[in-house]
Amino acid sequence: MSVSEIESDDYSANLPSENGEEQEALEFVVPIDLAGLRLDQALARLLPQYSRSRLQQWVKAERVLLDADVATPKTKVWGGETVLVLPELPPEQLAFRAEVMDLPIVHEDDALLVINKPAGLVVHPGHGNWSGTLLNGLLAHCPALFQVPRAGIVHRLDKDTSGLMVVAKTLTAQTELVRQLQARTVKREYCALVRGHLNEAGTVDAAMGRHPRERTLMSVLPAGSTGAKPAVTHYEPLDWYRHATLVECRLETGRTHQIRVHMQSIGHPLFGDPVYGGGNSCQRFPRQALHALRLGLQHPQTGQSMQWESSLPEDMQTLLDELEAEDAAD
């Protein structure tokens, strides 16, 4: 079973081979046999490893000098000119750069790291978030992760979800953790505040996939439909407030936005969720009230059963205290 087979959290991004550093400058003399060509055409012949559009971008960005002067893509070359090219990596490759940050590490050994991710921290670089992610911090903390796909990340939390995540420090450990995720033996329990009164424990067994019209969103889909993947969430009420219920959710699968979508599907969207129906609660709490409370797995080297627990973050605990105080005042 290879790491590339992972389906947890719909993770498909791959680490590039580059380590995030700028590439070295390229300097050469234009051969006589390219005389009469435009600069971009000559560059395409001389640097076939780069696309024509990228070379044109570098020329326009003045990252290509012709005899020490800037030029345009249409500038003609006649042979004998000295060309200096300063390659620039695209954002998706520059994103895989080590950035020192204060990582909230709960556990670390030779095989794995357990992180207590704060709300607001993006896990993996992507559109609009090419730096300052957990992946960048991991590469600074453990440079060996440059050699592990996805810097060892095997599952992820939404930007505004807090709590526990495991990261593999070796390829062997990553492959084993992926196997456990696929076998559904990794224990992942969350604490969520949902809108309305939820009186009984239950299970949502509803396939999920991309929303048929809003492609940035996830939704419950009919089983067997295109893009639908099995998704199972168990939930149990823990405490009640006037207009909300604190629930514990246990995942069997790890689809993107699974708890948020499943709880919305039964009429109890997460408090503060700006995407899946948080309603007026978003004005009071600026993120989905969701925290990865417990994480349990078998150690990829020793086979020992291990479990970690994280207390509620300050903002969620403050919210619960306020709701309790309001109920008591009535």
Side-chain angles (χ1 to χ4, degrees), residues 20 37 41-42 74 91 99 123 148 155-156 169 180 203 223 304:
L37 293 181
Q41 294 173 328
K74 294 183 179 181
E99 297 178 19
V123 170
V148 183
H155 69 116
R156 59 182 171 182
K169 294 177 69 175
Q180 292 183 39
T203 297
Q304 177 185 358

Side-chain angles (χ1 to χ4, degrees), residues 251-323:
L251 295 182
E252 280 194 25
T253 54
R255 307 304 174 205
T256 300
H257 302 172
Q258 179 173 320
I259 292 175
R260 299 164 67 186
V261 171
H262 271 177
M263 298 312 293
Q264 178 205 40
S265 74
I266 61 172
H268 296 280
L270 267 61
F271 200 92
D273 192 332
V275 177
Y276 297 103
N280 294 333
S281 65
C282 296
Q283 300 174 6
R284 180 166 187 174
F285 197 68
R287 67 177 181 94
Q288 63 267 12
L290 182 63
H291 177 69
L293 185 69
R294 296 187 193 89
L295 175 67
L297 50 84
Q298 287 190 320
H299 193 278
Q301 281 185 338
T302 66
Q304 177 185 358
S305 294
M306 305 186 75
Q307 179 170 295
W308 300 270
E309 185 166 341
S310 167
S311 58
L312 287 179
E314 183 177 354
D315 62 346
M316 276 189 69
Q317 187 60 59
T318 298
L319 173 63
L320 297 181
D321 291 342
E322 291 175 351
L323 294 177

Side-chain angles (χ1 to χ4, degrees), residues 27-248:
E27 186 172 8
F28 49 86
V29 175
V30 178
I32 295 297
D33 59 3
L34 298 184
L37 293 181
R38 298 199 314 258
L39 177 59
D40 61 344
Q41 294 173 328
L43 290 174
R45 300 263 191 104
L46 295 167
L47 301 173
Q49 67 269 40
Y50 299 110
S51 68
R52 176 75 65 86
S53 62
R54 181 168 297 178
L55 292 169
Q56 289 175 339
Q57 290 172 3
W58 291 348
V59 176
K60 293 176 182 178
E62 299 184 359
R63 299 186 70 89
V64 178
L65 300 180
L66 189 64
D67 283 337
D69 289 328
V70 296
T72 70
K74 294 183 179 181
T75 298
K76 292 286 186 71
V77 295
W78 301 104
E81 299 94 338
T82 298
V83 179
L84 179 67
V85 180
L86 304 172
E88 180 181 41
L89 290 173
E92 62 270 22
Q93 292 185 358
L94 287 171
F96 293 90
R97 171 176 287 170
E99 297 178 19
V100 176
M101 62 180 65
D102 185 16
L103 293 178
I105 298 173
V106 175
H107 171 86
E108 181 174 12
D109 57 41
D110 291 341
L112 53 81
L113 276 162
V114 177
I115 306 291
N116 188 18
K117 188 187 87 67
L121 177 62
V122 175
V123 170
H124 193 282
H127 181 68
N129 294 287
W130 295 117
S131 65
T133 70
L134 175 61
L135 182 144
N136 299 118
L138 289 171
L139 293 176
H141 175 76
C142 181
L145 288 174
F146 276 114
Q147 306 305 317
V148 183
R150 307 179 190 93
I153 296 171
V154 295
H155 69 116
R156 59 182 171 182
L157 300 176
D158 295 337
K159 173 184 176 181
D160 289 326
T161 298
S162 56
L164 297 171
M165 286 182 56
V166 64
V167 176
K169 294 177 69 175
T170 68
L171 182 58
T172 300
Q174 188 181 49
T175 302
E176 171 57 21
L177 291 176
V178 168
R179 186 197 64 77
Q180 292 183 39
L181 284 164
Q182 292 180 324
R184 302 185 182 182
T185 59
V186 175
K187 181 179 183 181
R188 288 176 288 171
E189 296 179 355
Y190 293 70
C191 200
L193 185 69
V194 302
R195 295 173 63 195
H197 274 201
L198 189 59
N199 297 316
E200 296 181 345
T203 297
V204 181
D205 186 350
M208 288 179 53
R210 291 288 171 189
H211 192 284
R213 294 181 300 278
E214 301 289 337
R215 301 303 293 173
T216 60
L217 304 182
M218 307 298 291
S219 67
V220 168
L221 299 175
S225 60
T226 302
K229 296 180 180 180
V232 180
T233 304
H234 305 283
Y235 60 86
E236 180 179 358
L238 299 176
D239 206 352
W240 294 265
Y241 305 90
R242 186 192 305 174
H243 300 298
T245 305
L246 186 67
V247 300
E248 182 175 284

